[in-house]
Amino acid sequence: MENLKNNIDHYMKLKGIKMYTHLLVDIAHELGIKGQEAYEFANKEKSNFSKMLKGERPLKYDFIIPLEKIFGISLARLLEENAYKLPVKKENVPFNKGFRYYAYLDDPKLYKEEFDLLLTKDGESILTQTDEFEKTFLDYVVEYHSVNGVRYLHDEYGIKLKWFHNQFEFSKGKGITYIHFENYIEFARLVASMNDVELFNDIYDPYNMFFTNHHYGAENCIFCQSEYLEIILDNDGLFNSIFEIKPYELKLGNISRRKKQVESITYRPIINPIINNCLKYALKHLDKYKHRAIDILKFGIEHNRKIASKITFTDCYICNELGELKNFKDKNYYDIVVFVERDIDVNDDEIKSLTNQLLKFNKL
């Protein structure tokens, strides 16, 4: 850590900061601590900060962004040997911007004008890179609640969750990048907090899962996870979207495009394929989601009747956990109906009454 101390001393001198206590007060201000509390913070952290500079303990993660902003340089420059010898002007210290900084500022203009220019030496996108904390740009988007970063990734890179591996897909131009991201649930919470239903459903897209796989696949599929289902059930806009009956355009991959000689396939309107998993979860947690279960069952009663009126009832059957309805005599037929799993037993008269009214199809 000797380099860190030398470099911090150098940039303190450039910035006219005479004491570590004064630097800690500036750090406190960057952390949103004001007034007398900032000085109390400085006195409290002075001993720890001294030990960090001596290498007796690691630099606090919370100090990274404040130090970068105060000195106008990246942490990498602070840690780099002889960095303090680089020619700099006191009034305009150069700053090596990194993806952490962009997520922190969350400035749409900077995303548009500069972010794409950040490439590694081998030409790979910055989206795949990690910093000294093994974190990616996506990690910092979640950490700093960077809603403009979410929109930028959606509009410019077409970010989508690939549900079968819980990975994110980014496509820009002709290239496609896949990133494994452990915080996909926290990212979902962030996107949901933006109250943009269309944006959320485009990134977390159960229709893609339905038309490409026809079932949830692995047990850890995000659409089966309780935390994800609660995000849907807790958000009025997202919850109401599961009742929408709409067509779906499936964009084909390279192999399918060559085989079918089309760019995409548009499927006729169906309800959101996640509806039955939402119902299942709500029925298992009636203490919190009884009102949601009632809404889904009431919708299902009417929806199932409409579907039954258009088919020969005995020819059709539910073929999977999504509630997909197939026809023995027509291999091209498909729809989604609302159903209740046989193993779910509820002790609620109102729910039982609605369940009894729900038209039940044969299930294989």
Side-chain angles (χ1 to χ4, degrees):
M1 283 289 186
E2 183 178 351
N3 289 332
L4 177 62
K5 182 181 185 305
N6 289 339
N7 294 338
I8 283 181
D9 288 346
H10 174 69
Y11 285 108
M12 283 176 62
K13 184 177 180 180
L14 284 176
K15 291 292 185 179
I17 302 172
K18 296 181 179 181
M19 300 174 62
Y20 292 137
T21 302
H22 298 163
L23 177 60
L24 286 167
V25 170
D26 289 341
I27 290 174
H29 290 161
E30 293 295 338
L31 293 172
I33 304 171
K34 305 298 183 183
Q36 184 60 34
E37 291 183 359
Y39 291 92
E40 293 174 359
F41 170 89
N43 289 327
K44 179 182 177 182
E45 295 291 342
K46 184 165 56 176
S47 176
N48 289 332
F49 191 70
S50 177
K51 291 178 181 178
M52 292 176 203
L53 295 181
K54 293 177 182 178
E56 296 176 5
R57 62 174 53 187
L59 182 64
K60 266 192 173 181
Y61 174 72
D62 291 346
F63 288 2
I64 304 303
I65 287 292
L67 283 172
E68 289 181 332
K69 290 188 67 180
I70 292 166
F71 293 142
I73 64 168
S74 66
L75 177 64
R77 288 269 315 267
L78 283 173
L79 296 174
E80 181 185 350
E81 187 174 4
N82 294 327
Y84 66 94
K85 294 181 180 179
L86 294 174
V88 293
K89 294 182 179 180
K90 181 176 180 179
E91 66 275 10
N92 186 26
V93 179
F95 182 76
N96 293 338
K97 294 175 182 174
F99 52 80
R100 180 169 63 246
Y101 189 71
Y102 283 93
Y104 184 77
L105 290 180
D106 201 32
D107 185 334
K109 184 178 180 182
L110 289 180
Y111 286 134
K112 187 173 183 179
E113 295 180 356
E114 298 184 12
F115 191 77
D116 277 346
L117 302 179
L118 289 173
L119 300 174
T120 59
K121 292 180 180 179
D122 59 6
E124 292 185 3
S125 169
I126 191 175
L127 296 175
T128 62
Q129 304 307 303
T130 57
D131 64 5
E132 61 271 30
F133 298 103
E134 296 300 316
K135 291 191 175 187
T136 66
F137 176 68
L138 274 177
D139 286 308
Y140 290 112
V141 165
V142 171
E143 182 169 342
Y144 298 132
H145 206 78
S146 307
V147 294
N148 291 322
V150 174
R151 291 197 181 279
Y152 174 78
L153 291 174
H154 176 264
D155 296 345
E156 293 294 323
Y157 285 86
I159 180 175
K160 277 185 175 292
L161 182 86
K162 305 309 290 182
W163 50 271
F164 39 86
H165 293 306
N166 290 334
Q167 292 178 325
F168 282 100
E169 176 187 279
F170 299 86
S171 56
K172 188 174 178 67
K174 295 182 179 180
I176 295 179
T177 300
Y178 295 95
I179 296 177
H180 181 73
F181 183 49
E182 295 289 347
N183 281 340
Y184 52 86
I185 290 291
E186 289 303 318
F187 188 75
R189 288 196 179 97
L190 171 59
V191 180
S193 74
M194 297 168 66
N195 292 318
D196 187 331
V197 174
E198 185 176 351
L199 175 72
F200 184 94
N201 286 334
D202 196 45
I203 295 175
Y204 291 86
D205 184 3
Y207 286 90
N208 181 275
M209 173 266 301
F210 178 81
F211 286 113
T212 58
N213 200 54
H214 296 277
H215 61 84
Y216 287 116
E219 291 183 0
N220 67 341
C221 172
I222 188 172
F223 300 128
C224 298
Q225 295 186 26
S226 59
E227 291 176 293
Y228 180 81
L229 294 172
E230 288 187 359
I231 291 173
I232 304 296
L233 294 169
D234 288 337
N235 185 294
D236 288 340
L238 295 178
F239 177 73
N240 290 331
S241 74
I242 69 175
F243 303 119
E244 294 178 359
I245 300 176
K246 62 181 183 181
Y248 182 75
E249 181 184 8
L250 177 66
K251 295 180 180 179
L252 302 178
N254 291 333
I255 296 176
S256 296
R257 283 201 301 268
R258 288 195 296 268
K259 183 178 180 180
K260 297 181 181 295
Q261 294 297 302
V262 293
E263 294 292 318
S264 64
I265 298 175
T266 299
Y267 291 92
R268 65 178 179 79
I270 60 169
I271 56 176
N272 194 313
I274 203 173
I275 190 169
N276 283 300
N277 233 15
C278 289
L279 175 59
K280 181 178 180 180
Y281 190 82
L283 290 174
K284 288 184 175 181
H285 301 85
L286 288 179
D287 56 327
K288 185 177 181 181
Y289 295 117
K290 179 179 176 179
H291 62 301
R292 297 306 199 194
I294 289 173
D295 288 343
I296 297 174
L297 287 170
K298 286 182 176 179
F299 169 84
I301 291 168
E302 184 65 24
H303 176 72
N304 287 8
R305 286 173 180 168
K306 286 181 180 178
I307 290 178
S309 68
K310 300 175 183 178
I311 61 172
T312 301
F313 191 82
T314 54
D315 289 346
C316 294
Y317 61 97
I318 297 174
C319 67
N320 57 34
E321 71 273 25
L322 298 172
E324 182 178 4
L325 195 68
K326 301 291 286 184
N327 191 316
F328 287 113
K329 298 180 179 180
D330 182 359
K331 66 178 182 179
N332 294 318
Y333 177 82
Y334 64 88
D335 215 316
I336 293 178
V337 295
V338 177
F339 75 101
V340 176
E341 295 279 6
R342 296 172 183 172
D343 61 345
I344 295 180
D345 184 26
V346 296
N347 187 25
D348 185 285
D349 291 340
E350 185 177 9
I351 295 295
K352 285 182 177 179
S353 175
L354 291 171
T355 301
N356 290 335
Q357 297 175 57
L358 187 67
L359 187 61
K360 298 171 180 60
F361 295 82
N362 294 324
K363 190 174 187 296
L364 296 185

